[in-house]
Amino acid sequence: MKTLMLNQIFQIKHAILLMLAVLLSGSCLFAQEKTNLDIFFELVDKSVEAVLEDTEQLQGYKLRLNLSQPLNVFENRLTIKFTADSNSAALDGQENTELIYTIEGTSVAYKEPFKKNLFGDFYLEREIKLSGSYLIKDGSTNLKTFMLANTDTIKYSRASEMESSSFPFTKGEIPAEPLFSTIFEPAIIIGAAAVSVYLFFTVRSK
């Protein structure tokens, strides 16, 4: 009888620990998240790669960057990426063909918070977009546009950390945390703990 009671107590403890592990899994582990500025730099790189692929037939060109404040933070990176191309000339080059690269729009958007498990952390789907155009002036004008986007998931609690106060274009409207989380979750946790304690002592007293 005593052995049976001990086995029941062990099974209840095991079930409680398993339940807590499942409910709380994912709350402590998360991948290193890139900042919004990091992602904008990646999109800028991709835009240059697309432009270079489209203009590889050009024998040479003079590069002109058309960037407004504070998007000129990308100027050095763009210059390095473009001048690494063997067909490009220095910014003060004398080539007759001119390539004018312009960033026209940036945006950061967050969707409604969601959870990967019942009592885990809130997450946000983040979408970052970069749009612009490039103009090839070689006696005629040939304007082309580009639009690049990156969508991923970040922890809700770290959303503001992903933004930079120095660069307003890295900011988006962060939605409010759902009311359910702040009111009902503590009650559910307390209720689950009370039931577990009740079952533990009920079995032990038999």
Side-chain angles (χ1 to χ4, degrees), residues 7-23:
N7 286 337
Q8 289 177 324
I9 293 174
F10 175 79
Q11 290 174 0
I12 291 175
K13 286 183 177 179
H14 181 74
I16 293 172
L17 291 174
L18 182 61
M19 180 183 68
L20 291 175
V22 171
L23 292 176

Side-chain angles (χ1 to χ4, degrees), residues 82-95:
F82 272 111
T83 55
D85 174 32
S86 59
N87 290 333
S88 68
L91 293 180
D92 58 351
Q94 300 302 312
E95 298 291 343

Side-chain angles (χ1 to χ4, degrees), residues 194-205:
V195 170
S196 299
V197 171
Y198 171 78
L199 291 175
F200 175 79
F201 284 105
T202 299
V203 172
R204 190 174 182 181
S205 62

Side-chain angles (χ1 to χ4, degrees), residues 73-174:
V73 66
F74 301 122
E75 183 173 352
N76 289 340
R77 194 181 188 101
L78 284 165
T79 302
I80 292 171
K81 292 288 288 185
F82 272 111
T83 55
D85 174 32
S86 59
N87 290 333
S88 68
L91 293 180
D92 58 351
Q94 300 302 312
E95 298 291 343
N96 293 326
T97 301
E98 186 175 30
L99 191 156
I100 305 173
Y101 174 98
T102 305
I103 295 179
E104 298 174 347
T106 59
S107 68
V108 176
Y110 306 103
K111 294 190 176 180
E112 290 301 314
F114 68 93
K115 289 195 171 189
K116 296 182 178 180
N117 52 65
L118 184 57
F119 296 115
D121 295 314
F122 273 107
Y123 288 81
L124 287 172
E125 183 176 302
R126 170 179 62 176
E127 184 178 51
I128 295 179
K129 293 182 179 180
L130 175 81
S131 61
S133 63
Y134 58 100
L135 176 66
I136 301 172
K137 295 179 66 176
D138 54 358
S140 60
T141 56
N142 187 7
L143 178 67
K144 297 186 178 181
T145 61
F146 60 84
M147 200 286 287
L148 299 166
N150 182 88
T151 302
D152 61 1
T153 301
I154 61 172
K155 292 184 75 172
Y156 177 85
S157 60
R158 303 193 68 229
S160 60
E161 299 175 27
M162 300 296 102
E163 302 177 339
S164 172
S165 57
S166 301
F167 303 105
F169 65 88
T170 66
K171 296 185 177 183
E173 184 177 351
I174 302 174

Side-chain angles (χ1 to χ4, degrees), residues 55-79:
T55 59
E56 60 183 356
Q57 77 281 0
L58 295 179
Q59 296 303 310
Y61 55 83
K62 181 170 62 176
L63 176 65
R64 179 148 61 96
L65 301 176
N66 186 15
L67 306 173
S68 60
Q69 289 277 7
L71 298 179
N72 55 4
V73 66
F74 301 122
E75 183 173 352
N76 289 340
R77 194 181 188 101
L78 284 165
T79 302

